[in-house]
Amino acid sequence: MKKLNSLATTGLLIAATLTGCGWHLRGTGQVNNISSVHISAATRFDDFYGDLSRALEANDVTVARNATEAQYTIVVLGQKSKRRAASVSVSARVSEYELNEEVEVMILGTGGKVLLPRTTLQAERYFDFDENEVQSKQDESDMLKSEMRQDLIRQILNRLNAVANRPVSAPASEENAAAN
């Protein structure tokens, strides 16, 4: 019984310590003080749009159908996926690939005011390739692309959170917006 009490006390102590220091599991990011967002993208049927919508909804943010109903608008200007050979074996066959996902976004406030100018976000991963395991390596590539998409969404949410919680006394200067 003493061991059980000791384990319970230790568990509570660890939980209290982690909670007190601000540590939390890595998730989709946290969005504060935002009630609604409109996503302007070329297509509403791709994986990126769906994942971004779900991430916003997971943070209790309503995804509005049009910009006039939303507090902020995330404009997805473009997406690119690249794959290149990162290294080759002594027999001149690809042994490692580099995957790169890129998304170009802007964040607008009410009235179309640019809060975050055109910004390119990137995620990059490497994976070993074995031509004897093509199907499993394709599955691994798909999984890495999904992870990179989630990373890009976290980056977007972090920027959205930053512009939404920017102090009123420090608005984004139009000179900085024009320079970028």
Side-chain angles (χ1 to χ4, degrees), residues 73-88:
T73 299
I74 298 171
V75 182
V76 180
L77 299 166
Q79 290 176 258
K80 292 180 189 174
S81 293
K82 298 177 195 170
R83 181 176 105 161
R84 72 171 192 89
S87 63
V88 292

Side-chain angles (χ1 to χ4, degrees), residues 33-138:
N33 304 323
I34 299 171
S35 60
S36 61
V37 171
H38 171 67
I39 304 169
S40 174
T43 178
R44 291 176 174 246
F45 305 107
D46 67 355
D47 292 336
F48 189 81
Y49 180 90
D51 289 349
L52 180 56
S53 295
R54 280 189 292 282
L56 288 164
E57 290 167 352
N59 281 285
D60 296 324
V61 175
T62 302
V63 177
R65 290 198 171 271
N66 59 49
T68 58
E69 299 171 352
Q71 192 178 5
Y72 299 96
T73 299
I74 298 171
V75 182
V76 180
L77 299 166
Q79 290 176 258
K80 292 180 189 174
S81 293
K82 298 177 195 170
R83 181 176 105 161
R84 72 171 192 89
S87 63
V88 292
S89 66
V90 291
S91 60
R93 296 180 189 244
V94 175
S95 60
E96 184 179 47
Y97 278 106
E98 173 190 358
L99 300 176
N100 189 301
E101 291 287 322
E102 192 174 284
V103 65
E104 194 172 3
V105 297
M106 288 176 58
I107 297 178
L108 308 175
T110 54
K113 181 181 178 187
V114 176
L115 301 175
L116 179 72
R118 181 180 286 236
T119 303
T120 302
L121 306 172
Q122 295 182 343
E124 180 179 273
R125 301 284 190 281
Y126 291 88
F127 78 100
D128 293 328
F129 182 75
D130 183 355
E131 63 187 31
N132 296 322
E133 300 175 14
V134 174
Q135 184 59 48
S136 66
K137 290 302 177 178
Q138 181 61 45

Side-chain angles (χ1 to χ4, degrees), residues 13-24:
L13 238 139
I14 290 171
T17 302
L18 290 176
T19 303
C21 75
W23 181 87
H24 62 280

